[in-house]
Amino acid sequence: MTMTGVEMKRVTGAASSEESRFYDAVMEHSDRLYQIAYSYLGNRNDALEAVQEATCRAWIKRRTLKDQRAFKAWMIRILIYVCIDEQRRRKRSVPTPDERMQEPVMKPDTGRLEMRWALEQVKPKYRHVLLLKYYNDMTLSDIAELLKKPEGTIKTWQHKGLKQLRTILKDRGEWND
């Protein structure tokens, strides 16, 4: 069975329309996606790569999204999984001397480095809430919707995460009450 020219244009037009809508939706949220990726990975190049990978994964799974109004939360969830995958990969690999030399030479901000180190010690589910709340200015209700958990659970995780963070920093001598 072959298609006529009109039928072929209709099919390709529908495909390009779908691509265009998807592209527009991603671009609408691109700044937020980058901010979230950067808060997880702490590196511009890795954050950009994570957004790109999340976009590819989302395109492949686009038909699983039932409600277009949930696109932003769905996309952020995919991005968080990509960032977690990258963090796991980092823990398994040892940088070569060439890779270490590529990092920009800057005066380190020890306070920021300490906080990033301390956050890495916090239980992952609590860390997600802290990163999204304090590094990405998301509300607790937005985080609850994103993580598909009740808002009360998110408040508890925030409280427990902050408590863990205080304990970690206190044990290192970085926190004074």
Side-chain angles (χ1 to χ4, degrees):
M1 182 172 157
T2 61
M3 285 196 258
T4 66
V6 173
E7 291 171 323
M8 186 69 92
K9 283 184 181 176
R10 194 175 322 127
V11 169
T12 58
S16 66
S17 175
E18 180 183 15
E19 286 176 25
S20 179
R21 282 193 308 274
F22 182 83
Y23 174 81
D24 291 345
V26 169
M27 292 311 294
E28 180 182 344
H29 305 295
S30 63
D31 289 344
R32 172 60 95 195
L33 295 170
Y34 172 78
Q35 290 169 350
I36 291 170
Y38 191 89
S39 71
Y40 273 82
L41 303 173
N43 173 305
R44 181 181 185 278
N45 291 333
D46 289 346
L48 290 170
E49 196 170 311
V51 171
Q52 184 176 10
E53 174 65 21
T55 303
C56 288
R57 288 185 191 182
W59 175 255
I60 291 167
K61 297 190 175 288
R62 68 190 179 278
R63 289 190 172 71
T64 64
L65 180 62
K66 303 298 181 218
D67 182 1
Q68 285 300 316
R69 293 174 298 191
F71 181 85
K72 180 180 176 184
W74 177 74
M75 189 73 196
I76 290 171
R77 241 185 333 276
I78 292 170
L79 178 64
I80 289 171
Y81 289 125
V82 169
C83 291
I84 291 168
D85 289 347
E86 174 60 19
Q87 288 172 333
R88 286 183 187 135
R89 187 194 66 74
R90 283 181 182 177
K91 286 181 180 177
R92 289 190 309 261
S93 69
V94 177
T96 65
D98 287 344
E99 290 172 330
R100 282 181 285 209
M101 294 300 289
Q102 289 177 1
E103 288 297 315
V105 178
M106 298 180 348
K107 181 181 174 190
D109 180 349
T110 55
R112 187 172 269 174
L113 291 174
E114 282 291 325
M115 184 58 75
R116 184 157 286 289
W117 175 87
L119 272 169
E120 289 299 316
Q121 311 311 307
V122 173
K123 193 172 185 177
K125 65 183 179 184
Y126 304 154
R127 182 172 57 238
H128 295 310
V129 173
L130 297 178
L131 284 171
L132 294 171
K133 171 81 173 133
Y134 298 106
Y135 281 73
N136 294 288
D137 298 324
M138 291 180 75
T139 65
L140 293 177
S141 61
D142 288 343
I143 296 168
E145 180 183 332
L146 175 69
L147 299 179
K148 295 184 178 179
K149 300 287 182 193
E151 193 170 340
T153 299
I154 298 303
K155 287 179 182 178
T156 300
W157 288 0
Q158 176 192 21
H159 175 75
K160 289 181 177 183
L162 289 172
K163 186 176 178 181
Q164 275 189 8
L165 195 56
R166 278 188 212 102
T167 302
I168 290 163
L169 292 171
K170 191 179 274 186
D171 290 347
R172 291 205 28 127
E174 301 292 327
W175 190 277
N176 299 319
D177 283 334

